[in-house]
Amino acid sequence: EDAKEAYINELETNSSKLGGKAATVLSDMGAKDALPSMLKLLETSADPDTQVSVLQAFETMPDISMLPALTTILQKDTDNTQIRLLSYSCDIVGDIALERPSALSDETLDALVVSAFKVNAVGQNLWWECGRAIRKLGAPASRGGWSRCGSTS
C-alpha cells in the first residue's frame, strides 16, 4: 500500500518526471482509484511521452470518467498534436463504447468521427483506430457525426 501511495504521489506531483511510469505500474496493479490522478497528469503534462504512458495505462482499465479528456485530445489537430495521442484516444473510446455506448456524448462521437479522417504532415492517419472504435460502438454511432458524413452502416 505504501508503494501504491508513492506512485500516486508521483502522478500528482510528477516531481521525478516519472509520472508516466507510475501510471504504467498503477495500471498493472489495477488501481482504478488512481484514475483521477492519471487524468490530472494527462491534462497538465506537456510531455507527449508522459501523455502516451497515461493513455496506455488507460487501455487496461477504460472508464467513462476518461471521456472528457479523451474527447479534448480527439478535438486537437494533427499539426500540433502527436498522432499517437489521438490513436490511443480512439482506441480507448472504442473500449468504453463496448461497455457503455450510451456514455458517449454527441461531442465525443463527433470528435471520434472527425478524427477518423485526420491525416498528419507525413501521411499518417487514424482511419484504422477510429474506424475500429466506431465499429465497436455500432448503431449508436449514427446519432453522432457519423450520420452527418452520409453513412450509418
Side-chain angles (χ1 to χ4, degrees):
E1 197 64 31
D2 288 340
K4 180 179 170 183
E5 290 304 315
Y7 288 121
I8 291 174
N9 183 58
E10 180 60 26
L11 284 176
E12 293 172 351
T13 65
N14 204 24
S15 59
S16 301
K17 304 295 181 216
L18 296 172
K21 294 193 184 317
T24 300
V25 172
L26 288 162
S27 74
D28 290 345
M29 296 169 68
K32 281 196 152 209
D33 56 323
L35 285 177
S37 298
M38 288 184 201
L39 282 164
K40 180 182 173 200
L41 179 61
L42 177 66
E43 293 168 349
T44 59
S45 176
D47 176 40
D49 291 331
T50 297
Q51 293 171 326
V52 165
S53 292
V54 173
L55 290 170
Q56 288 172 328
F58 284 175
E59 284 188 313
T60 66
M61 49 186 173
D63 186 87
I64 62 170
S65 66
M66 301 169 182
L67 287 172
L70 297 171
T71 301
T72 297
I73 292 170
L74 290 173
Q75 290 171 332
K76 295 182 179 195
D77 63 67
T78 56
D79 293 332
N80 299 306
T81 305
Q82 291 190 6
I83 203 160
R84 61 188 177 146
L85 297 174
L86 286 94
S87 175
Y88 281 113
S89 296
C90 284
D91 210 28
I92 299 162
V93 168
D95 290 342
I96 294 168
L98 277 176
E99 296 292 318
R100 301 238 349 242
S102 62
L104 276 66
S105 68
D106 286 348
E107 181 181 19
T108 300
L109 289 172
D110 287 347
L112 182 64
V113 170
V114 169
S115 291
F117 296 97
K118 291 181 179 177
V119 179
N120 67 9
V122 295
Q124 296 170 315
N125 65 59
L126 297 161
W127 176 247
W128 176 250
E129 294 84 357
C130 294
R132 187 174 54 223
I134 291 165
R135 287 188 300 279
K136 287 179 183 179
L137 183 57
S142 65
R143 78 170 205 268
W146 193 243
S147 63
R148 290 191 284 279
C149 291
S151 174
T152 57
S153 55

Coordinates of all heavy atoms in Angstrom, one line a residue, residues 37-110:
S37 N -6.0 10.9 -10.5 CA -4.6 11.5 -10.6 C -4.0 11.3 -12.0 O -3.2 12.1 -12.5 CB -3.7 10.8 -9.5 OG -4.2 11.1 -8.3
M38 N -4.3 10.1 -12.6 CA -3.8 9.9 -14.0 C -4.4 10.9 -15.0 O -3.7 11.5 -15.8 CB -4.2 8.5 -14.5 CG -3.4 7.4 -13.8 SD -3.8 5.8 -14.5 CE -3.3 4.7 -13.3
L39 N -5.7 11.2 -14.8 CA -6.4 12.2 -15.6 C -5.7 13.6 -15.5 O -5.5 14.3 -16.4 CB -7.9 12.3 -15.3 CG -8.7 11.1 -15.9 CD1 -10.1 11.1 -15.2 CD2 -8.9 11.4 -17.4
K40 N -5.4 13.9 -14.2 CA -4.8 15.2 -14.0 C -3.4 15.3 -14.7 O -3.1 16.3 -15.3 CB -4.7 15.4 -12.5 CG -4.0 16.8 -12.1 CD -3.9 16.9 -10.6 CE -3.1 18.2 -10.3 NZ -2.5 18.2 -9.0
L41 N -2.7 14.2 -14.6 CA -1.4 14.2 -15.2 C -1.5 14.3 -16.7 O -0.8 15.1 -17.4 CB -0.6 13.0 -14.8 CG 0.8 12.8 -15.4 CD1 1.7 14.0 -15.0 CD2 1.4 11.5 -15.1
L42 N -2.4 13.6 -17.3 CA -2.7 13.7 -18.7 C -3.0 15.1 -19.2 O -2.5 15.6 -20.2 CB -3.8 12.7 -19.1 CG -4.2 12.7 -20.6 CD1 -3.1 12.2 -21.5 CD2 -5.5 12.0 -20.8
E43 N -3.8 15.8 -18.4 CA -4.3 17.1 -18.8 C -3.2 18.2 -18.5 O -3.3 19.2 -19.2 CB -5.6 17.4 -18.0 CG -6.7 16.5 -18.5 CD -8.0 16.6 -17.6 OE1 -7.9 17.2 -16.5 OE2 -9.0 16.1 -18.1
T44 N -2.3 17.9 -17.6 CA -1.4 19.0 -17.2 C 0.0 18.8 -17.8 O 0.8 19.8 -17.9 CB -1.2 19.1 -15.7 OG1 -0.8 17.9 -15.1 CG2 -2.6 19.6 -15.1
S45 N 0.4 17.6 -18.2 CA 1.7 17.3 -18.7 C 1.8 17.8 -20.2 O 0.9 17.6 -21.0 CB 2.0 15.9 -18.7 OG 3.3 15.6 -19.3
A46 N 2.9 18.5 -20.5 CA 3.2 18.9 -21.8 C 4.0 17.9 -22.6 O 4.3 18.0 -23.8 CB 3.8 20.3 -21.8
D47 N 4.5 16.8 -21.9 CA 5.4 15.8 -22.4 C 4.6 14.7 -23.1 O 3.8 14.0 -22.5 CB 6.2 15.2 -21.3 CG 7.1 14.1 -21.9 OD1 7.7 14.3 -23.0 OD2 7.3 13.1 -21.1
P48 N 4.7 14.6 -24.5 CA 3.9 13.6 -25.2 C 4.2 12.2 -24.7 O 3.3 11.3 -24.7 CB 4.3 13.8 -26.6 CG 4.9 15.1 -26.7 CD 5.5 15.4 -25.4
D49 N 5.5 11.9 -24.3 CA 5.8 10.5 -23.8 C 5.0 10.2 -22.5 O 4.5 9.1 -22.3 CB 7.3 10.4 -23.6 CG 8.0 10.3 -24.9 OD1 7.5 9.9 -26.0 OD2 9.2 10.8 -24.9
T50 N 4.9 11.2 -21.6 CA 4.2 11.0 -20.4 C 2.7 10.8 -20.7 O 2.0 9.9 -20.2 CB 4.4 12.2 -19.5 OG1 5.7 12.3 -19.1 CG2 3.5 12.1 -18.2
Q51 N 2.2 11.6 -21.6 CA 0.8 11.5 -22.0 C 0.5 10.1 -22.6 O -0.5 9.5 -22.3 CB 0.4 12.6 -23.0 CG 0.4 14.0 -22.4 CD 0.3 15.1 -23.4 OE1 0.8 15.0 -24.6 NE2 -0.4 16.2 -23.1
V52 N 1.4 9.7 -23.5 CA 1.2 8.3 -24.1 C 1.2 7.3 -23.0 O 0.4 6.3 -23.0 CB 2.3 8.0 -25.2 CG1 2.3 6.6 -25.5 CG2 2.0 8.9 -26.4
S53 N 2.1 7.4 -22.0 CA 2.1 6.4 -21.0 C 0.8 6.3 -20.2 O 0.3 5.3 -19.8 CB 3.3 6.7 -20.0 OG 4.5 6.5 -20.7
V54 N 0.3 7.5 -19.9 CA -1.0 7.6 -19.2 C -2.1 6.9 -20.1 O -2.9 6.1 -19.6 CB -1.4 9.0 -18.8 CG1 -2.8 9.1 -18.3 CG2 -0.4 9.6 -17.8
L55 N -2.1 7.2 -21.4 CA -3.1 6.7 -22.3 C -3.0 5.1 -22.3 O -3.9 4.4 -22.4 CB -3.0 7.3 -23.7 CG -3.5 8.7 -23.7 CD1 -3.2 9.3 -25.1 CD2 -5.0 8.9 -23.4
Q56 N -1.7 4.7 -22.4 CA -1.5 3.2 -22.4 C -2.0 2.6 -21.1 O -2.6 1.5 -21.1 CB 0.0 2.9 -22.6 CG 0.5 3.2 -24.0 CD 2.0 3.1 -24.1 OE1 2.7 3.4 -23.2 NE2 2.4 2.7 -25.3
A57 N -1.9 3.3 -20.0 CA -2.4 2.8 -18.7 C -3.9 2.8 -18.8 O -4.6 1.8 -18.3 CB -1.9 3.7 -17.6
F58 N -4.5 3.8 -19.4 CA -6.0 3.8 -19.5 C -6.5 2.6 -20.3 O -7.6 2.1 -20.1 CB -6.4 5.1 -20.2 CG -6.4 6.3 -19.4 CD1 -6.7 7.5 -20.0 CD2 -6.1 6.3 -18.1 CE1 -6.7 8.7 -19.3 CE2 -6.0 7.5 -17.3 CZ -6.3 8.7 -17.9
E59 N -5.7 2.1 -21.3 CA -6.2 1.0 -22.1 C -6.5 -0.3 -21.2 O -7.3 -1.1 -21.6 CB -5.1 0.6 -23.2 CG -5.1 1.6 -24.3 CD -4.3 1.2 -25.4 OE1 -3.1 0.8 -25.2 OE2 -4.7 1.3 -26.6
T60 N -5.8 -0.4 -20.1 CA -6.0 -1.6 -19.3 C -7.2 -1.4 -18.4 O -7.7 -2.4 -17.8 CB -4.8 -1.9 -18.4 OG1 -4.6 -0.8 -17.5 CG2 -3.5 -2.0 -19.3
M61 N -7.8 -0.2 -18.3 CA -8.9 0.0 -17.4 C -9.8 1.1 -17.9 O -9.9 2.1 -17.2 CB -8.5 0.2 -15.9 CG -7.4 1.2 -15.7 SD -6.9 1.2 -14.0 CE -5.5 2.3 -14.1
P62 N -10.4 1.0 -19.1 CA -11.2 2.1 -19.6 C -12.4 2.4 -18.7 O -13.0 1.5 -18.1 CB -11.6 1.5 -21.0 CG -11.4 0.1 -20.9 CD -10.3 -0.2 -19.9
D63 N -12.6 3.7 -18.6 CA -13.7 4.1 -17.7 C -14.3 5.4 -18.2 O -13.6 6.2 -18.8 CB -13.0 4.4 -16.3 CG -14.0 4.8 -15.2 OD1 -14.5 3.8 -14.6 OD2 -14.3 6.0 -15.0
I64 N -15.6 5.6 -18.0 CA -16.3 6.7 -18.6 C -15.7 8.0 -18.0 O -15.9 9.1 -18.7 CB -17.8 6.6 -18.4 CG1 -18.2 6.6 -16.9 CG2 -18.4 5.4 -19.1 CD1 -19.7 6.8 -16.6
S65 N -15.1 8.0 -16.9 CA -14.5 9.3 -16.4 C -13.4 9.8 -17.3 O -13.1 11.0 -17.2 CB -14.0 9.1 -15.0 OG -12.8 8.2 -15.0
M66 N -12.9 9.0 -18.2 CA -11.8 9.4 -19.1 C -12.4 10.2 -20.3 O -11.6 10.9 -21.0 CB -11.1 8.2 -19.6 CG -10.5 7.4 -18.6 SD -9.9 5.8 -19.3 CE -9.3 5.0 -17.9
L67 N -13.7 10.1 -20.6 CA -14.2 10.6 -21.8 C -14.0 12.1 -22.1 O -13.7 12.5 -23.2 CB -15.7 10.2 -21.9 CG -16.0 8.7 -22.2 CD1 -17.5 8.4 -22.1 CD2 -15.5 8.4 -23.6
P68 N -14.2 12.9 -21.1 CA -13.9 14.4 -21.4 C -12.5 14.6 -21.8 O -12.3 15.4 -22.8 CB -14.2 15.1 -20.0 CG -15.2 14.2 -19.4 CD -14.8 12.8 -19.7
A69 N -11.5 14.0 -21.1 CA -10.1 14.2 -21.5 C -9.8 13.6 -22.9 O -9.1 14.2 -23.7 CB -9.2 13.6 -20.5
L70 N -10.4 12.4 -23.2 CA -10.2 11.8 -24.5 C -10.8 12.6 -25.6 O -10.3 12.8 -26.7 CB -10.7 10.4 -24.5 CG -10.0 9.4 -23.5 CD1 -10.8 8.1 -23.4 CD2 -8.6 9.2 -23.9
T71 N -12.0 13.2 -25.3 CA -12.7 14.0 -26.3 C -11.8 15.2 -26.6 O -11.7 15.6 -27.8 CB -14.1 14.4 -25.8 OG1 -14.8 13.2 -25.5 CG2 -14.8 15.3 -26.8
T72 N -11.3 15.8 -25.6 CA -10.4 17.0 -25.8 C -9.2 16.7 -26.7 O -8.9 17.4 -27.6 CB -9.9 17.6 -24.4 OG1 -11.1 18.0 -23.7 CG2 -9.0 18.7 -24.6
I73 N -8.6 15.5 -26.5 CA -7.5 15.1 -27.3 C -8.0 14.9 -28.7 O -7.3 15.3 -29.7 CB -6.8 13.8 -26.7 CG1 -6.1 14.1 -25.4 CG2 -5.8 13.2 -27.8 CD1 -5.6 12.9 -24.7
L74 N -9.1 14.2 -28.9 CA -9.6 13.9 -30.3 C -10.0 15.2 -31.0 O -10.0 15.2 -32.3 CB -10.8 13.0 -30.2 CG -10.5 11.5 -29.8 CD1 -11.7 10.8 -29.6 CD2 -9.5 10.9 -30.8
Q75 N -10.2 16.3 -30.3 CA -10.6 17.5 -31.0 C -9.4 18.3 -31.4 O -9.5 19.3 -32.1 CB -11.5 18.4 -30.0 CG -12.8 17.8 -29.8 CD -13.6 18.5 -28.7 OE1 -13.1 19.0 -27.8 NE2 -14.9 18.4 -28.8
K76 N -8.2 17.9 -31.1 CA -7.0 18.6 -31.5 C -6.6 18.2 -32.9 O -7.0 17.2 -33.4 CB -5.8 18.2 -30.5 CG -6.1 18.7 -29.1 CD -5.0 18.4 -28.2 CE -5.4 18.9 -26.8 NZ -4.2 19.0 -25.9
D77 N -5.8 19.1 -33.5 CA -5.4 18.8 -34.9 C -4.1 18.0 -34.9 O -3.3 18.0 -33.9 CB -5.3 20.1 -35.7 CG -4.2 21.1 -35.1 OD1 -3.0 20.7 -35.2 OD2 -4.5 22.1 -34.6
T78 N -3.8 17.4 -36.0 CA -2.6 16.6 -36.1 C -1.3 17.4 -36.4 O -0.2 16.9 -36.5 CB -2.7 15.5 -37.2 OG1 -3.1 16.2 -38.5 CG2 -3.8 14.5 -36.8
D79 N -1.5 18.7 -36.6 CA -0.3 19.6 -36.8 C 0.4 19.9 -35.5 O 1.6 20.1 -35.5 CB -0.7 20.9 -37.5 CG -1.2 20.7 -38.9 OD1 -0.8 19.7 -39.6 OD2 -2.0 21.5 -39.4
N80 N -0.4 20.0 -34.4 CA 0.2 20.4 -33.1 C 0.1 19.3 -32.1 O 0.5 19.5 -30.9 CB -0.6 21.6 -32.6 CG -0.4 22.8 -33.6 OD1 0.7 23.1 -33.9 ND2 -1.5 23.3 -34.0
T81 N -0.4 18.1 -32.4 CA -0.6 17.0 -31.5 C -0.1 15.8 -32.1 O -0.4 15.5 -33.3 CB -2.1 16.8 -31.2 OG1 -2.7 18.0 -30.7 CG2 -2.3 15.7 -30.1
Q82 N 0.7 15.0 -31.4 CA 1.3 13.8 -32.0 C 0.1 12.8 -32.3 O -0.8 12.6 -31.4 CB 2.3 13.1 -31.0 CG 3.5 13.9 -30.9 CD 4.6 13.2 -30.2 OE1 4.5 12.0 -29.8 NE2 5.7 13.9 -29.9
I83 N 0.1 12.2 -33.4 CA -1.0 11.4 -33.9 C -1.1 10.2 -33.0 O -2.2 9.7 -32.8 CB -0.8 11.0 -35.4 CG1 -2.1 10.6 -36.0 CG2 0.3 9.9 -35.5 CD1 -2.2 10.7 -37.5
R84 N -0.1 9.8 -32.3 CA -0.2 8.6 -31.4 C -1.1 8.9 -30.3 O -1.8 8.0 -29.8 CB 1.2 8.1 -31.0 CG 2.0 9.1 -30.2 CD 3.4 8.6 -29.9 NE 4.1 9.6 -29.2 CZ 5.0 9.4 -28.3 NH1 5.4 8.2 -28.0 NH2 5.6 10.4 -27.7
L85 N -1.2 10.1 -29.8 CA -2.1 10.5 -28.7 C -3.6 10.4 -29.2 O -4.4 9.8 -28.5 CB -1.9 11.9 -28.3 CG -0.5 12.2 -27.7 CD1 -0.3 13.7 -27.4 CD2 -0.3 11.4 -26.4
L86 N -3.8 10.8 -30.4 CA -5.2 10.6 -31.0 C -5.5 9.2 -31.2 O -6.6 8.7 -31.0 CB -5.3 11.4 -32.2 CG -5.4 12.9 -32.0 CD1 -4.1 13.6 -32.2 CD2 -6.4 13.6 -33.0
S87 N -4.5 8.4 -31.6 CA -4.7 7.0 -31.9 C -5.1 6.2 -30.6 O -6.1 5.5 -30.6 CB -3.4 6.4 -32.5 OG -3.5 5.0 -32.6
Y88 N -4.3 6.4 -29.6 CA -4.7 5.8 -28.3 C -6.1 6.2 -27.8 O -6.8 5.4 -27.3 CB -3.6 6.1 -27.2 CG -2.4 5.2 -27.4 CD1 -1.2 5.8 -27.7 CD2 -2.4 3.8 -27.1 CE1 0.0 5.0 -27.8 CE2 -1.3 3.1 -27.3 CZ -0.1 3.6 -27.6 OH 1.0 2.9 -27.7
S89 N -6.4 7.5 -28.0 CA -7.6 8.0 -27.5 C -8.8 7.4 -28.3 O -9.8 7.0 -27.7 CB -7.7 9.5 -27.7 OG -6.7 10.2 -26.9
C90 N -8.7 7.2 -29.6 CA -9.7 6.5 -30.4 C -9.9 5.1 -29.8 O -11.0 4.6 -29.6 CB -9.3 6.4 -31.8 SG -9.5 7.9 -32.8
D91 N -8.8 4.4 -29.6 CA -8.9 3.0 -29.1 C -9.6 2.9 -27.8 O -10.4 2.0 -27.6 CB -7.4 2.5 -29.0 CG -7.4 1.0 -29.2 OD1 -8.2 0.4 -30.0 OD2 -6.5 0.4 -28.7
I92 N -9.3 3.8 -26.9 CA -9.9 3.8 -25.5 C -11.3 4.1 -25.6 O -12.2 3.5 -24.9 CB -9.1 4.7 -24.6 CG1 -7.7 4.2 -24.4 CG2 -9.8 4.7 -23.2 CD1 -6.7 5.3 -23.8
V93 N -11.7 5.1 -26.4 CA -13.1 5.5 -26.6 C -13.9 4.2 -27.1 O -15.0 3.9 -26.6 CB -13.3 6.7 -27.5 CG1 -14.8 6.9 -27.9 CG2 -12.8 7.9 -26.8
G94 N -13.3 3.5 -28.0 CA -13.9 2.3 -28.5 C -14.1 1.3 -27.5 O -15.2 0.6 -27.4
D95 N -13.1 1.1 -26.6 CA -13.3 0.1 -25.5 C -14.4 0.6 -24.5 O -15.1 -0.3 -24.0 CB -11.9 0.0 -24.7 CG -10.9 -0.8 -25.6 OD1 -11.3 -1.4 -26.6 OD2 -9.7 -0.6 -25.2
I96 N -14.5 1.8 -24.3 CA -15.6 2.3 -23.4 C -16.9 2.1 -24.1 O -17.9 1.7 -23.4 CB -15.3 3.8 -23.0 CG1 -14.1 4.0 -22.2 CG2 -16.6 4.4 -22.3 CD1 -13.6 5.4 -22.0
A97 N -16.9 2.3 -25.4 CA -18.2 2.1 -26.2 C -18.7 0.7 -26.1 O -19.9 0.5 -26.1 CB -18.0 2.6 -27.6
L98 N -17.8 -0.2 -26.0 CA -18.2 -1.6 -25.9 C -19.0 -1.9 -24.7 O -19.9 -2.7 -24.6 CB -16.9 -2.6 -26.0 CG -16.4 -2.9 -27.3 CD1 -15.1 -3.8 -27.1 CD2 -17.4 -3.7 -28.2
E99 N -18.5 -1.3 -23.6 CA -19.1 -1.5 -22.3 C -20.4 -0.6 -22.1 O -21.4 -1.0 -21.5 CB -18.1 -1.2 -21.2 CG -16.9 -2.1 -21.1 CD -17.3 -3.5 -20.8 OE1 -18.2 -3.7 -19.8 OE2 -16.8 -4.4 -21.4
R100 N -20.3 0.7 -22.5 CA -21.4 1.7 -22.2 C -21.5 2.6 -23.4 O -21.1 3.8 -23.3 CB -21.0 2.5 -21.0 CG -20.9 1.6 -19.7 CD -21.8 1.9 -18.6 NE -22.6 3.1 -18.5 CZ -22.5 4.0 -17.6 NH1 -21.5 4.0 -16.7 NH2 -23.3 5.0 -17.6
P101 N -22.1 2.2 -24.5 CA -22.2 3.0 -25.7 C -23.0 4.3 -25.4 O -22.8 5.4 -25.9 CB -23.0 2.2 -26.7 CG -23.4 1.0 -26.0 CD -22.7 0.8 -24.7
S102 N -24.0 4.2 -24.4 CA -24.8 5.4 -24.1 C -24.0 6.5 -23.4 O -24.4 7.6 -23.3 CB -26.0 5.0 -23.3 OG -25.6 4.4 -22.1
A103 N -22.8 6.1 -22.9 CA -22.0 7.1 -22.1 C -21.3 8.1 -23.0 O -20.9 9.1 -22.6 CB -20.9 6.3 -21.3
L104 N -21.2 7.8 -24.3 CA -20.6 8.7 -25.2 C -21.5 9.8 -25.6 O -22.6 9.6 -26.1 CB -20.1 7.9 -26.5 CG -18.7 7.2 -26.3 CD1 -18.8 6.1 -25.4 CD2 -18.3 6.8 -27.7
S105 N -21.0 11.0 -25.4 CA -21.8 12.2 -25.8 C -21.8 12.4 -27.3 O -20.9 11.9 -28.0 CB -21.3 13.4 -25.0 OG -20.0 13.8 -25.5
D106 N -22.7 13.3 -27.8 CA -22.6 13.7 -29.2 C -21.3 14.3 -29.5 O -20.7 14.1 -30.6 CB -23.8 14.6 -29.6 CG -25.1 13.8 -29.7 OD1 -25.1 12.6 -29.7 OD2 -26.1 14.5 -29.7
E107 N -20.8 15.1 -28.5 CA -19.5 15.8 -28.7 C -18.3 14.7 -28.9 O -17.5 14.9 -29.8 CB -19.2 16.7 -27.6 CG -17.9 17.4 -27.7 CD -17.6 18.3 -26.5 OE1 -18.1 18.1 -25.4 OE2 -16.7 19.2 -26.6
T108 N -18.4 13.7 -28.1 CA -17.4 12.6 -28.2 C -17.5 11.9 -29.6 O -16.5 11.6 -30.3 CB -17.4 11.7 -27.1 OG1 -17.2 12.4 -25.8 CG2 -16.4 10.5 -27.2
L109 N -18.8 11.6 -29.9 CA -19.0 10.9 -31.2 C -18.5 11.7 -32.4 O -17.8 11.2 -33.3 CB -20.5 10.6 -31.4 CG -21.0 9.5 -30.5 CD1 -22.6 9.4 -30.6 CD2 -20.4 8.2 -30.8
D110 N -18.8 13.0 -32.3 CA -18.4 13.9 -33.4 C -16.8 13.9 -33.5 O -16.3 13.9 -34.6 CB -18.9 15.3 -33.2 CG -20.4 15.5 -33.5 OD1 -21.0 14.6 -34.1 OD2 -20.9 16.5 -33.1

